[in-house]
Amino acid sequence: GLRFPLYPLFAAPAMYLLVRGLRERRPNLLLLSGVAVGLSLHGYSPARALPLVIALGFALYIVHIRKQIDGRAASSAFIALTLVSLIVTLPLLRVLIDMPEPVLYRSLSRMGTIEAPYPDSPFRILIANLWKALLMFSWDDGVIWLVAIQRRPLLDWIMAGGMHLGALLVLVRYLRQRDWRDAYVLLSIPILLLPSVLALAFPIENPAPNRASATMIPVFALAALPFAGLLQWGERAIQVRRASLVSGIALALLIWVSALTNHNLVFNIYNSQHRRGTLNVSEAAAVVRGFADSVGSFESAYVIPFPHWFDTRLVGIEAGIPRRDFALRVEELDTVLLQPRPLLFLVKPEDEAALDRLRVLFPEAVISRYDSAFEGRDFMIVHVPAPPGIRAEIEPPS
């Protein structure tokens, strides 16, 4: 349900088609790159950095091979790409004209002082943010527990080492050959980091791996270079028979260790962190569905909202009826007094006001505590039987 995977999903083809279109001088590929840019802008808002990356590619291309190409042709191609991306982005631009605040508020509140003042000089915050963002791949990825393991390198040690070695190789190759593509891979990283770096009013939100998710494209390209060259290096450096076999075994071993490391990071360490941080909506949804499948119905099940507790819409999604919001505020409890069927209320244990109100309105209610599998995530179940003499209406699950 998170939007940030949409960013690299469209940034990858946009950057690939740009590089290939410029290298092979194929205008149609550049137009397709414009389509990918336009689609990306409909997804996660940090994709607004992608047009800057595309402009960077054109600028580097023109500067490096200006003696071999017609500058007008390159400029025309850039204009055509821009027009295509604008056409694809027209629905968003229309919304921007009618409702600029919903489109721009999130970005402006991080870059500007709409929600909070700058804690320091904006320039100093910018430099510090950029440094922290560059370090997240191999040192500290920040505190956003939902998308990364807190306070550890974003990459495993093998991939981080490959990225730094790859960056060094690309830099040396650029200094020798002056290939614009090498400069593009390196310089695209700080541009793609901008959505994270520009959190000037909230520097605690930087580094943000989700906002910088498109950096995985150049980062993994750099990390792959040493591995891709390992076989060729082995054949030249190891003067023994079957040198390629030795290099291949070494490469396979590195990939295997990296895979095991990432498996542990994702399915053990991150999983444990996620369980500690995430509310147990699935358990609440299981109780609701069990009630609906037995003595009650979804229409007579409710969740009493409480600050920093369940998103009552998620209960419906987990229960299999995503269009229902199970919220019923304490002051609205009177509206269900006359329902001639069993009622179910889920209440946060700390919400004494709701529990007291339910006891007054429904003295026959049975109140129990759900023992959650997650520490500190218990909740109260208030079950109100159907009024005497009235048969409960039981609806089959939709």
Side-chain angles (χ1 to χ4, degrees), residues 306 309 347-353 355 369-370 376-380:
F306 194 80
W309 197 41
V347 186
K348 200 171 193 299
E350 292 82 358
D351 194 356
E352 292 292 344
L355 291 171
R369 190 183 187 95
Y370 184 90
R377 296 287 190 262
D378 293 357
F379 54 87
M380 307 304 294

Short mmCIF file of all heavy atoms in Angstrom, two decimals, residues 306 309 347-353 355 369-370 376-380:
data_model
loop_
_atom_site.label_atom_id
_atom_site.label_comp_id
_atom_site.label_asym_id
_atom_site.label_seq_id
_atom_site.Cartn_x
_atom_site.Cartn_y
_atom_site.Cartn_z
N PHE A 306 -9.26 5.75 18.96
CA PHE A 306 -8.45 6.26 20.07
C PHE A 306 -7.14 6.76 19.47
O PHE A 306 -6.62 6.17 18.52
CB PHE A 306 -8.18 5.16 21.11
CG PHE A 306 -7.66 5.66 22.42
CD1 PHE A 306 -8.53 6.20 23.36
CD2 PHE A 306 -6.30 5.61 22.72
CE1 PHE A 306 -8.06 6.67 24.58
CE2 PHE A 306 -5.83 6.08 23.93
CZ PHE A 306 -6.71 6.61 24.87
N TRP A 309 -3.91 4.68 17.70
CA TRP A 309 -4.32 3.27 17.74
C TRP A 309 -4.69 2.84 16.33
O TRP A 309 -4.16 3.38 15.35
CB TRP A 309 -5.49 3.12 18.72
CG TRP A 309 -5.72 1.69 19.16
CD1 TRP A 309 -4.77 0.76 19.47
CD2 TRP A 309 -6.99 1.05 19.31
NE1 TRP A 309 -5.37 -0.42 19.82
CE2 TRP A 309 -6.74 -0.28 19.74
CE3 TRP A 309 -8.31 1.46 19.15
CZ2 TRP A 309 -7.76 -1.21 20.00
CZ3 TRP A 309 -9.33 0.55 19.41
CH2 TRP A 309 -9.06 -0.77 19.83
N VAL A 347 -12.12 -2.00 21.78
CA VAL A 347 -11.76 -0.79 22.52
C VAL A 347 -10.32 -0.91 22.99
O VAL A 347 -9.88 -2.00 23.43
CB VAL A 347 -12.69 -0.59 23.74
CG1 VAL A 347 -12.40 0.75 24.42
CG2 VAL A 347 -14.15 -0.67 23.32
N LYS A 348 -9.59 0.18 22.92
CA LYS A 348 -8.24 0.21 23.48
C LYS A 348 -8.32 0.16 25.00
O LYS A 348 -9.15 0.87 25.60
CB LYS A 348 -7.50 1.47 23.04
CG LYS A 348 -5.98 1.36 23.15
CD LYS A 348 -5.30 2.54 22.49
CE LYS A 348 -3.81 2.31 22.30
NZ LYS A 348 -3.08 2.10 23.55
N PRO A 349 -7.53 -0.66 25.68
CA PRO A 349 -7.63 -0.80 27.14
C PRO A 349 -7.53 0.53 27.89
O PRO A 349 -8.17 0.70 28.93
CB PRO A 349 -6.46 -1.72 27.48
CG PRO A 349 -6.22 -2.51 26.24
CD PRO A 349 -6.53 -1.58 25.11
N GLU A 350 -6.76 1.47 27.35
CA GLU A 350 -6.60 2.76 28.02
C GLU A 350 -7.82 3.67 27.87
O GLU A 350 -7.91 4.70 28.57
CB GLU A 350 -5.37 3.49 27.48
CG GLU A 350 -4.04 2.84 27.83
CD GLU A 350 -3.67 1.70 26.90
OE1 GLU A 350 -4.48 1.39 26.00
OE2 GLU A 350 -2.59 1.13 27.06
N ASP A 351 -8.76 3.30 27.02
CA ASP A 351 -9.92 4.16 26.76
C ASP A 351 -11.01 3.86 27.80
O ASP A 351 -12.05 3.27 27.52
CB ASP A 351 -10.43 3.91 25.35
CG ASP A 351 -11.42 4.99 24.89
OD1 ASP A 351 -11.74 5.87 25.71
OD2 ASP A 351 -11.85 4.93 23.73
N GLU A 352 -10.79 4.33 29.03
CA GLU A 352 -11.72 4.07 30.12
C GLU A 352 -13.06 4.75 29.88
O GLU A 352 -14.12 4.22 30.26
CB GLU A 352 -11.12 4.56 31.44
CG GLU A 352 -9.91 3.76 31.92
CD GLU A 352 -10.29 2.35 32.34
OE1 GLU A 352 -11.49 2.11 32.55
OE2 GLU A 352 -9.38 1.50 32.45
N ALA A 353 -13.05 5.90 29.23
CA ALA A 353 -14.30 6.61 28.97
C ALA A 353 -15.23 5.77 28.09
O ALA A 353 -16.44 5.68 28.36
CB ALA A 353 -14.02 7.96 28.33
N LEU A 355 -15.14 2.47 27.68
CA LEU A 355 -15.56 1.27 28.41
C LEU A 355 -16.66 1.59 29.42
O LEU A 355 -17.65 0.84 29.55
CB LEU A 355 -14.36 0.64 29.12
CG LEU A 355 -13.30 0.01 28.19
CD1 LEU A 355 -12.06 -0.39 28.99
CD2 LEU A 355 -13.87 -1.20 27.47
N ARG A 369 -10.63 -9.42 27.49
CA ARG A 369 -9.38 -8.86 26.99
C ARG A 369 -8.77 -9.81 25.97
O ARG A 369 -8.60 -11.01 26.26
CB ARG A 369 -8.40 -8.61 28.14
CG ARG A 369 -7.15 -7.81 27.76
CD ARG A 369 -6.21 -7.68 28.95
NE ARG A 369 -5.10 -6.78 28.66
CZ ARG A 369 -5.08 -5.48 28.97
NH1 ARG A 369 -6.13 -4.93 29.60
NH2 ARG A 369 -4.03 -4.73 28.68
N TYR A 370 -8.45 -9.29 24.80
CA TYR A 370 -7.80 -10.12 23.77
C TYR A 370 -6.30 -10.15 24.06
O TYR A 370 -5.64 -9.12 24.11
CB TYR A 370 -8.05 -9.54 22.38
CG TYR A 370 -7.50 -10.39 21.27
CD1 TYR A 370 -8.26 -11.39 20.68
CD2 TYR A 370 -6.19 -10.21 20.81
CE1 TYR A 370 -7.75 -12.18 19.67
CE2 TYR A 370 -5.67 -10.98 19.79
CZ TYR A 370 -6.45 -11.98 19.22
OH TYR A 370 -5.93 -12.76 18.22
N GLY A 376 2.23 -5.72 24.45
CA GLY A 376 1.68 -4.38 24.57
C GLY A 376 0.61 -4.04 23.56
O GLY A 376 0.25 -2.87 23.41
N ARG A 377 0.06 -5.03 22.85
CA ARG A 377 -0.93 -4.76 21.80
C ARG A 377 -2.30 -5.37 22.13
O ARG A 377 -3.14 -5.55 21.25
CB ARG A 377 -0.44 -5.33 20.46
CG ARG A 377 0.83 -4.67 19.92
CD ARG A 377 0.53 -3.28 19.41
NE ARG A 377 1.66 -2.73 18.66
CZ ARG A 377 2.54 -1.91 19.16
NH1 ARG A 377 2.42 -1.53 20.43
NH2 ARG A 377 3.55 -1.44 18.44
N ASP A 378 -2.57 -5.70 23.40
CA ASP A 378 -3.88 -6.24 23.76
C ASP A 378 -4.98 -5.21 23.49
O ASP A 378 -4.72 -4.00 23.47
CB ASP A 378 -3.91 -6.61 25.25
CG ASP A 378 -2.98 -7.77 25.58
OD1 ASP A 378 -2.35 -8.31 24.63
OD2 ASP A 378 -2.86 -8.13 26.77
N PHE A 379 -6.21 -5.69 23.30
CA PHE A 379 -7.35 -4.79 23.18
C PHE A 379 -8.56 -5.46 23.82
O PHE A 379 -8.59 -6.67 24.06
CB PHE A 379 -7.63 -4.43 21.71
CG PHE A 379 -7.80 -5.60 20.79
CD1 PHE A 379 -9.04 -6.21 20.62
CD2 PHE A 379 -6.72 -6.10 20.06
CE1 PHE A 379 -9.21 -7.27 19.75
CE2 PHE A 379 -6.87 -7.17 19.18
CZ PHE A 379 -8.12 -7.77 19.04
N MET A 380 -9.54 -4.64 24.13
CA MET A 380 -10.74 -5.11 24.81
C MET A 380 -11.82 -5.46 23.79
O MET A 380 -12.03 -4.75 22.80
CB MET A 380 -11.26 -4.04 25.77
CG MET A 380 -10.23 -3.52 26.76
SD MET A 380 -9.47 -4.82 27.76
CE MET A 380 -10.90 -5.35 28.72
#
